[in-house]
Structure formats: C-alpha cells, structure tokens
C-alpha cells in the first residue's frame, strides 16, 4: 500500500484557549484537527492533574493536526500567535498517511 509524507502537529494548550486556537487554525486553512482532553502532566511548573476541577479554567487540551509538509509554516505561524502568550507546547513530527487527498 502506498503512503504519503505528512506532518503531525500537536498543540497542548489551556482549555480556555481552545476556541481561539481552532479559529486561528481554520483561518490559516487547516481543514481538519482532533481535540483531546489532557488529564494531567508535569512541566516547568511541576506536576498537575485535572482531577477535582469543576471548570475548564485549569485544564489543558491537545489539538492534533495532520497536514501536507508544504502547509506546515502557515499552521505554525497561526498557532504561535495564540500559544506565545499562554501556557502551551507545540510539537511537529514526520508521519505518513494512506489517503493524501484528505490532507
């Protein structure tokens, strides 16, 4: 089966910033993404957990996009405008997809 090169971008950001981030991605031409809840983790500020929180204010989400390599820079510029002033991590990895026309 033939595969096609793509980029997987994962953006972990405060849950309250989810709408602003996804709006920026859509404006940049990103046609698909998946949003996952983040249950907890550890970082520069120490360990944290979503457990016991009653609002989205203290939580995080992970937004995952798979795109064509030539569209990466546009996506990163849009994401960074949102992430640079907030808690967040952006990672980019190489991946391969089966149906390139969907990306």
């Amino acid at each position: 089966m033939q595969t096609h090169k793509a980029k997987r971008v994962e953006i972990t950001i405060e849950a309250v910033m989810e709408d602003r981030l996804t709006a920026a991605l859509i404006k940049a031409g990103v046609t698909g993404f998946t949003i996952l809840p983040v249950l907890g983790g550890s970082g520069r500020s120490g360990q944290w957990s979503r457990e016991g929180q009653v609002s989205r204010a203290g939580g995080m989400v992970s937004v995952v996009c798979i795109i064509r390599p030539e569209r990466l820079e546009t996506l990163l510029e849009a994401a960074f405008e949102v992430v640079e002033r907030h808690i967040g991590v952006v990672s980019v990895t190489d991946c391969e997809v089966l149906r390139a026309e969907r990306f």
Side-chain angles (χ1 to χ4, degrees):
M1 195 170 282
Q2 183 178 9
T3 61
H4 306 272
K5 294 190 181 305
K7 296 290 185 177
R8 182 181 191 277
V9 180
E10 185 169 346
I11 306 161
T12 304
I13 193 167
E14 299 162 281
V16 295
M17 297 305 298
E18 175 187 322
D19 291 341
R20 189 176 298 171
L21 176 61
T22 56
L25 294 176
I26 291 167
K27 186 176 178 183
V30 175
T31 58
F33 49 82
T34 301
I35 302 168
L36 304 166
V38 176
L39 302 177
S42 182
R44 238 179 19 191
S45 300
Q47 196 168 4
W48 65 275
S49 173
R50 190 173 196 160
E51 188 176 318
Q53 295 188 16
V54 293
S55 75
R56 292 176 40 156
M60 303 285 280
V61 295
S62 183
V63 180
V64 180
C65 311
I66 297 177
I67 60 165
R68 295 174 187 249
E70 62 269 16
R71 303 188 69 212
L72 179 62
E73 193 62 34
T74 302
L75 183 155
L76 292 177
E77 288 173 3
F80 191 70
E81 285 185 26
V82 177
V83 174
E84 76 174 315
R85 291 179 296 274
H86 300 277
I87 296 170
V89 175
V90 179
S91 66
V92 179
T93 54
D94 294 326
C95 68
E96 295 188 15
V97 297
L98 294 179
R99 300 183 289 184
E101 71 278 1
R102 295 185 176 249
F103 303 93

